[in-house]
Amino acid sequence: MLNQKKLELAYRRYSKNFVDGIKFEDVEEDYVDSQNEITSIVDLNSVEKDHILLIDLDSISSYYLSKWKEDVLINGENNTEDLKKIMIVVFYQCMGQDLYKIRYPKMNVRYSFKDVIATLIHFTMFGWEKEEQILFDFIVEHFGERLMNVNNWNKHAWFLLELYLQYRNKTIVETQHNLHIAVREQFKEAELEYGLIPEDLDIYTEVLENWTTPQLDEIKTLIDKMSVFHSNLASELGESIEFGDYGYGFYPYEILFLIHVRKKNGLSVPDQFDDLLMNTPEAKMTIGDPETYPEWDPLLRLVDNFYRKNYPGYIPNKHGELFQ
């Protein structure tokens, strides 16, 4: 049962974190430090140090996360621009990481399975089909490898990936149903790490079995169950692995994606919700169909141009201009 008081207290802490906890001026200072470092490497064309460019993408992502929180969560503005920039940075973390798989085979990956899947489904919601396909190809090519470590416990990420596969009629490990089970079994046979992959997806299993239902009351019931599942875990802010983080803990993007794919399939969706989670400023952002591309971050542009110039095998070089 959902403890409403506990949920509300957690949401207050979540909302205040980017005011009382993470100070924007500190994040901005890190961004400026990265600006100096990136500019120096690019100006000198220091290929021997260019892995630092990949590391510095973290400060760009943190900068736009703080800006997004300030605009939407704190000021109540309906603004997706900085959220889009966060997702674009994750894309380029993947593209950059691919360059170092031979030169630095043990280099720490700067993103998680959850980060990449969240980016994939946001590109889908934004209508950015070209970039969506490039990212999906990256996921498939490196699935289960160091560059795409899927030994991950986040049930909603597995749900989102499977829903995406069904929506786009694609497969991974030759399936689009019960993906987490198929991957566990395949990895076990191959003696790959699989222990963190969930054995069940809780409410998400029921949703995956019924997400195409034509019955509005049935999908409303399923969304309500998803909201309770998410809210219970978000109530454990700072402790829950699934939704206990201050970045996206109260941003129900797994529900928003479900609503998106139903709309795209011409299926009815609820037009209002009564619970706290689905009425946060983040949940109520308006996402265009399609969304326009945001203005490029100047530091990210420097990094992309540097990699394009120095590495012919850099994935974006194969696809021309992106995000425009």
Side-chain angles (χ1 to χ4, degrees):
M1 182 178 293
L2 180 61
N3 185 325
Q4 189 66 30
K5 184 176 180 180
K6 185 177 182 181
L7 178 68
E8 291 171 359
L9 288 173
Y11 183 66
R12 289 195 198 102
R13 286 194 290 127
Y14 176 83
S15 300
K16 291 182 178 180
N17 180 61
F18 284 83
V19 176
D20 300 331
I22 299 175
K23 303 290 187 182
F24 178 73
E25 53 266 30
D26 294 335
V27 177
E28 189 174 33
E29 183 178 345
D30 289 340
Y31 180 89
V32 172
D33 289 343
S34 293
Q35 181 179 31
N36 295 333
E37 198 165 47
I38 290 170
T39 302
S40 175
I41 291 172
V42 170
D43 287 348
L44 297 173
N45 203 41
S46 300
V47 177
E48 71 282 356
K49 296 181 180 179
D50 63 18
H51 61 284
I52 296 173
L53 300 177
L54 181 58
I55 296 171
D56 283 343
L57 292 184
D58 280 348
S59 62
I60 300 176
S61 179
S62 296
Y63 177 71
Y64 287 108
L65 177 63
S66 288
K67 283 176 63 63
W68 177 54
K69 292 293 184 178
E70 183 176 29
D71 287 345
V72 176
L73 192 60
I74 298 170
N75 296 331
E77 298 176 6
N78 184 12
N79 187 349
T80 61
E81 292 303 289
D82 294 319
L83 174 64
K84 290 187 283 191
K85 291 178 183 179
I86 297 167
M87 301 300 164
I88 292 173
V89 171
V90 174
F91 175 90
Y92 279 103
Q93 286 177 318
C94 293
M95 300 301 104
Q97 198 76 50
D98 183 74
L99 294 174
Y100 299 102
K101 59 181 181 287
I102 296 176
R103 181 171 155 197
Y104 296 119
K106 295 183 179 181
M107 183 179 180
N108 288 335
V109 173
R110 314 302 298 185
Y111 49 81
S112 69
F113 173 67
K114 182 176 75 170
D115 294 334
V116 178
I117 301 307
T119 300
L120 177 70
I121 66 101
H122 275 88
F123 283 5
T124 307
M125 289 194 290
F126 295 157
W128 299 349
E129 293 184 6
K130 182 177 181 179
E131 293 81 8
E132 172 199 332
Q133 185 61 52
I134 295 169
L135 185 58
F136 180 73
D137 290 344
F138 174 89
I139 292 169
V140 172
E141 180 180 356
H142 298 293
F143 197 80
E145 300 174 1
R146 186 180 63 85
L147 266 61
M148 194 64 236
N149 181 6
V150 302
N151 187 32
N152 190 280
W153 51 75
N154 282 283
K155 296 182 179 183
H156 77 280
W158 285 100
F159 160 74
L160 284 168
L161 180 55
E162 184 164 327
L163 181 58
Y164 171 84
L165 294 176
Q166 293 181 20
Y167 169 58
R168 288 299 197 205
N169 194 24
K170 297 180 178 182
T171 62
I172 289 180
V173 298
E174 301 181 347
T175 190
Q176 58 181 211
H177 297 283
N178 296 313
L179 178 66
H180 61 295
I181 295 174
V183 173
R184 278 182 62 91
E185 292 176 352
Q186 187 178 100
F187 282 21
K188 183 177 181 180
E189 291 177 4
E191 297 185 347
L192 299 173
E193 293 184 358
Y194 69 93
L196 297 179
I197 299 174
E199 296 184 47
D200 68 83
L201 298 184
D202 285 304
I203 178 56
Y204 300 130
T205 297
E206 185 179 358
V207 177
L208 288 166
E209 291 172 350
N210 298 281
W211 74 270
T212 58
T213 176
Q215 301 300 321
L216 179 60
D217 58 344
E218 185 175 358
I219 201 65
K220 175 66 165 61
T221 298
L222 289 173
I223 290 175
D224 288 345
K225 289 181 179 180
M226 291 174 70
S227 182
V228 170
F229 179 79
H230 187 135
S231 296
N232 271 321
L233 293 169
S235 297
E236 305 293 337
L237 195 64
E239 299 178 18
S240 165
I241 293 174
E242 190 89 25
F243 292 116
D245 65 284
Y246 284 89
Y248 302 113
F250 280 86
Y251 175 41
Y253 57 92
E254 79 284 11
I255 299 175
L256 299 180
F257 186 61
L258 171 62
I259 291 172
H260 172 83
V261 298
R262 279 187 60 86
K263 285 182 177 179
K264 284 294 188 179
N265 280 7
L267 297 167
S268 58
V269 296
D271 56 8
Q272 63 181 21
F273 300 93
D274 299 325
D275 58 302
L276 185 152
L277 180 68
M278 293 301 293
N279 283 284
T280 64
E282 293 168 339
K284 294 179 76 66
M285 285 186 307
T286 301
I287 295 178
D289 185 17
E291 274 286 341
T292 58
Y293 293 115
E295 182 179 345
W296 269 74
D297 173 80
L299 300 188
L300 183 60
R301 177 69 83 183
L302 284 176
V303 173
D304 181 47
N305 287 341
F306 180 95
Y307 284 149
R308 284 179 181 270
K309 180 180 72 172
N310 288 288
Y311 295 93
Y314 178 54
I315 294 173
N317 274 337
K318 305 172 186 177
H319 301 281
E321 295 296 328
L322 300 175
F323 299 105
Q324 64 178 28

